[in-house]
Amino acid sequence: MGEKKEPQSTKRRIEEIFEMPEGETAETCQEHVKAMKKEMARSSNRNLAMVKELMELTHSHRRQWFLKETVPISSFIEEYPALKTPFGVSVSERRR
């Protein structure tokens, strides 16, 4: 009789589950984070449409970081300041 094949693992790597949008890399995500921090540092007239887009573009990067490492919430919010606001949280939650 033939050899029995070992069942293939259905476990996927985190990188495969949360693929970045086409054309995005870790470097472009860092640029998006930098732009988001700059926009969120403004005391008024923030461009929320831009912040929303940046949050969406960095979603996969955020999720990978969160799942790979033990990240204190304070560090997470410091890196993604839009999460300090109800607007930023709602954008992030819609992606689930």
Side-chain angles (χ1 to χ4, degrees):
M1 300 270 170
E3 291 181 31
K4 280 191 172 181
K5 290 185 179 181
E6 291 292 321
Q8 288 187 346
S9 173
T10 57
K11 202 174 208 181
R12 292 172 51 191
R13 294 185 350 209
I14 290 171
E15 294 84 3
E16 294 170 349
I17 296 171
F18 299 105
E19 292 179 5
M20 289 191 199
E22 188 174 329
E24 294 296 325
T25 65
E27 292 77 24
T28 60
C29 282
Q30 288 304 319
E31 290 298 317
H32 298 326
V33 169
K34 185 177 174 181
M36 183 189 330
K37 286 180 177 180
K38 183 177 178 182
E39 191 63 29
M40 291 303 295
R42 295 177 63 169
S43 58
S44 63
N45 297 324
R46 292 180 182 144
N47 183 341
L48 296 180
M50 181 176 84
V51 171
K52 178 183 178 187
E53 181 179 358
L54 295 171
M55 288 289 287
E56 289 174 352
L57 288 170
T58 59
H59 178 262
S60 294
H61 191 257
R62 251 189 343 268
R63 294 287 296 162
Q64 285 180 20
W65 182 38
F66 188 76
L67 292 172
K68 283 182 176 180
E69 300 175 30
T70 303
V71 182
I73 296 297
S74 59
S75 297
F76 206 68
I77 289 174
E78 184 179 321
E79 188 69 10
Y80 296 95
L83 293 173
K84 287 191 266 188
T85 67
F87 170 78
V89 172
S90 70
V91 169
S92 187
E93 282 297 310
R94 278 188 239 138
R95 293 285 309 206
R96 291 177 128 200

